[in-house]
Amino acid sequence: MILNKIYVVQKYSAYLIPIALIFSVFIADLSVVILSITFLIYQLKIKGKKIFYNKIFIFFLIFWLYLVFNSFLSYDIETSISRSLPYLRFGFLFLALSSLLDDDEFKHNFLKLILFSLLFLCFDAIFQYFIGFNLVGYERHASRVSSFFHEELVMGSFLLKMYPIFLISLLAFKKKNLVSKKIFVIFIIIYSFCIFISGERTGLFNFILFNFILSLIFYKKKYLKYLIIFMLFFPSVFLISNFVNPGTAQRYQNLEMFDQKRLVLFSKTYENHYISAYRIFKSNPIFGSGLKSFRKICLKPRFNPRGCATHPHNIFMHFLSELGLIGTFFYLFSFLYFGIKILRIFFDKFIKKKNNKKSQFEIILIISIFVSLSPFSPSGSFFNNWMSILNFLSIAFYVHFKKDH
């Protein structure tokens, strides 16, 4: 009886996460905490020790122990410890959710909820783009649409992070004949349009990159017409936006990569962030300055205060500056791990001329995680609570489909 109640709390905590990620980071994080605690209690009650022997969780646990150790060497010990200790909850998040996904009823309802939430967000975003304000009255920014995120211009990042799960939802319901082929294509077009109108250049680039890799892996002649539609979609939308909202089109044209004929890294602002991060790294190359310390230590004159921000806006520079070479090893290992998996899939397809044994869903998640870990573009703060939940949602689905395979 008690176990059933704990399991129900787990399920409803998980159901709340995708909705709360849109409307309240606090509620999303609280749901993660409740899910983690109830998951631990449930596993202790049933003596389910095996679930913790998962290789990805062990890797995460070693990384977390390093974060805690590193915090005691930090420039700002109190801030670093307050971030590193609770970070363990994200390990329990992906274990708990991957376990819940084994329940077919939960998986069906969870995917349905995610699909509905994302389509509702897209509807609101399109409404805001054409009308000028969204369903709750938030006005559109000059060149960007934010929907329910309001002043936080992260809608494109959110849609990009959720895209693999969105695709998996559509494919799962298509297999059950709940979504037709035409509806499938329409939903993808709507989703693509919403990423475009978000005005997030990095998000759009990574979205195109993800779909390009996906198309190469799953390409078949019968899909050619859909590939052509996708290739023509963005140029068409770009031309239309010049009439509807010129600010959005101009944002993609103004790349800010040149300054007096000198090539800069994405923009002068970003370049200054990277200079600051590199100087901080050079001052302590082994351990870095400590988790969440960039915002404080970059104020010192020798670290280029012009590049000061809450984080360096690049995942590679973020790890280098705050966690040093040891912390960066964990990041590079993860990036290469998923990169090698993609290379093996290509090798099987184009060299060995055989189908890879991995499931369609697992391949989608491998590509998504690889793209999200890319060191070659600007990024949000890896250790931000909202971003961490999004990252570990994908990991949860990956762990589930990997063991399901």
Side-chain angles (χ1 to χ4, degrees), residues 158-404:
F158 177 76
L159 290 174
L160 177 67
K161 291 282 187 182
M162 294 297 291
Y163 183 56
I165 305 175
F166 177 77
L167 261 184
I168 287 168
S169 303
L170 285 177
L171 288 167
F173 294 137
K174 185 170 172 288
K175 284 180 180 179
K176 293 180 179 180
N177 295 318
L178 298 174
V179 173
S180 67
K181 192 178 289 184
K182 287 182 180 178
I183 295 295
F184 183 95
V185 174
I186 290 169
F187 281 172
I188 295 295
I189 289 172
I190 290 171
Y191 205 92
S192 304
F193 179 69
C194 289
I195 287 181
F196 176 84
I197 63 178
S198 74
E200 290 192 46
R201 292 171 293 203
T202 302
L204 181 65
F205 172 78
N206 286 337
F207 180 72
I208 293 171
L209 176 62
F210 173 88
N211 283 289
F212 175 72
I213 297 172
L214 198 66
S215 300
L216 286 177
I217 291 173
F218 291 120
Y219 175 75
K220 290 180 182 177
K221 281 187 179 179
K222 64 179 181 178
Y223 297 145
L224 184 60
K225 62 181 179 181
Y226 299 113
L227 190 59
I228 292 170
I229 290 170
F230 185 77
M231 289 172 66
L232 294 174
F233 174 74
F234 287 109
S236 303
V237 169
F238 186 83
L239 291 172
I240 293 168
S241 69
N242 269 309
F243 297 99
V244 178
N245 184 12
T248 303
Q250 287 169 9
R251 178 169 173 77
Y252 289 106
Q253 290 173 301
N254 299 330
L255 295 177
E256 305 173 34
M257 293 183 69
F258 294 93
D259 175 44
Q260 297 178 350
K261 299 182 180 179
R262 181 179 73 86
L263 184 67
V264 298
L265 290 171
F266 306 112
S267 72
K268 285 183 70 176
T269 303
Y270 282 131
E271 188 174 74
N272 276 319
H273 293 329
Y274 305 153
I275 291 169
S276 294
Y278 179 67
R279 289 181 181 177
I280 292 169
F281 161 71
K282 279 180 66 179
S283 71
N284 193 349
I286 305 300
F287 298 109
S289 61
L291 193 63
K292 290 287 181 178
S293 64
F294 180 84
R295 67 190 72 195
K296 291 187 178 181
I297 198 171
C298 66
L299 292 168
K300 292 189 174 184
R302 65 193 177 104
F303 295 131
N304 184 36
R306 287 180 303 167
C308 241
T310 54
H311 59 93
H313 293 275
N314 175 274
I315 188 171
F316 179 64
M317 299 308 295
H318 192 171
F319 270 75
L320 271 182
S321 60
E322 291 195 344
L323 299 177
L325 288 172
I326 297 176
T328 305
F329 163 79
F330 289 96
Y331 159 66
L332 289 178
F333 180 88
S334 303
F335 178 67
L336 291 172
Y337 174 83
F338 288 100
I340 290 168
K341 281 187 174 291
I342 292 174
L343 289 176
R344 282 178 178 169
I345 294 167
F346 276 116
F347 182 78
D348 286 344
K349 182 178 178 67
F350 296 107
I351 306 299
K352 288 189 173 181
K353 304 291 183 181
K354 68 175 187 179
N355 291 326
N356 193 277
K357 292 180 180 179
K358 290 179 173 56
S359 70
Q360 193 178 35
F361 296 157
E362 188 182 344
I363 291 172
I364 288 170
L365 290 159
I366 287 170
I367 299 169
S368 170
I369 295 167
F370 173 76
V371 171
S372 71
L373 289 172
S374 171
F376 307 114
S377 60
S379 63
S381 172
F382 184 83
F383 297 100
N384 171 276
N385 289 346
W386 183 79
M387 190 65 74
S388 293
I389 297 171
L390 285 170
N391 287 334
F392 284 101
L393 272 179
S394 291
I395 296 291
F397 275 87
Y398 172 71
V399 170
H400 166 70
F401 286 114
K402 191 173 186 296
K403 69 187 178 188
D404 190 50

Side-chain angles (χ1 to χ4, degrees), residues 26-258:
F26 172 77
I27 294 175
D29 202 22
L30 181 63
S31 300
V32 169
V33 172
I34 294 170
L35 176 59
S36 300
I37 293 170
T38 51
F39 167 74
L40 278 173
I41 295 170
Y42 187 82
Q43 294 303 320
L44 288 171
K45 289 281 186 183
I46 65 169
K47 297 181 180 179
K49 293 179 182 178
K50 278 190 177 181
I51 196 168
F52 298 104
Y53 297 153
N54 180 282
K55 289 179 181 178
I56 294 178
F57 179 72
I58 292 169
F59 179 80
F60 170 86
L61 196 60
I62 295 168
F63 175 58
W64 173 73
L65 288 170
Y66 173 72
L67 290 181
V68 175
F69 168 76
N70 180 273
S71 296
F72 288 99
L73 307 174
S74 173
Y75 172 78
D76 184 354
I77 296 174
E78 188 178 340
T79 299
S80 294
I81 290 176
S82 69
R83 291 290 183 171
S84 63
L85 283 174
Y87 196 74
L88 182 60
R89 69 193 184 278
F90 297 116
F92 294 136
L93 165 64
F94 79 76
L95 272 189
L97 192 52
S98 66
S99 177
L100 284 170
L101 288 167
D102 292 337
D103 181 339
D104 287 337
E105 184 187 355
F106 170 83
K107 182 160 62 177
H108 177 82
N109 291 334
F110 194 62
L111 289 176
K112 190 162 61 175
L113 182 65
I114 287 173
L115 187 62
F116 173 79
S117 301
L118 291 171
L119 289 173
F120 181 67
L121 177 67
C122 285
F123 172 78
D124 183 76
I126 293 168
F127 185 89
Q128 188 183 53
Y129 180 73
F130 287 105
I131 306 300
F133 54 88
N134 81 331
L135 296 174
V136 294
Y138 294 152
E139 292 186 1
R140 182 187 68 204
H141 294 258
S143 60
R144 304 178 68 172
V145 167
S146 61
S147 184
F148 296 111
F149 295 104
H150 195 27
E151 295 299 328
E152 296 289 329
L153 301 173
V154 295
M155 187 185 79
S157 298
F158 177 76
L159 290 174
L160 177 67
K161 291 282 187 182
M162 294 297 291
Y163 183 56
I165 305 175
F166 177 77
L167 261 184
I168 287 168
S169 303
L170 285 177
L171 288 167
F173 294 137
K174 185 170 172 288
K175 284 180 180 179
K176 293 180 179 180
N177 295 318
L178 298 174
V179 173
S180 67
K181 192 178 289 184
K182 287 182 180 178
I183 295 295
F184 183 95
V185 174
I186 290 169
F187 281 172
I188 295 295
I189 289 172
I190 290 171
Y191 205 92
S192 304
F193 179 69
C194 289
I195 287 181
F196 176 84
I197 63 178
S198 74
E200 290 192 46
R201 292 171 293 203
T202 302
L204 181 65
F205 172 78
N206 286 337
F207 180 72
I208 293 171
L209 176 62
F210 173 88
N211 283 289
F212 175 72
I213 297 172
L214 198 66
S215 300
L216 286 177
I217 291 173
F218 291 120
Y219 175 75
K220 290 180 182 177
K221 281 187 179 179
K222 64 179 181 178
Y223 297 145
L224 184 60
K225 62 181 179 181
Y226 299 113
L227 190 59
I228 292 170
I229 290 170
F230 185 77
M231 289 172 66
L232 294 174
F233 174 74
F234 287 109
S236 303
V237 169
F238 186 83
L239 291 172
I240 293 168
S241 69
N242 269 309
F243 297 99
V244 178
N245 184 12
T248 303
Q250 287 169 9
R251 178 169 173 77
Y252 289 106
Q253 290 173 301
N254 299 330
L255 295 177
E256 305 173 34
M257 293 183 69
F258 294 93

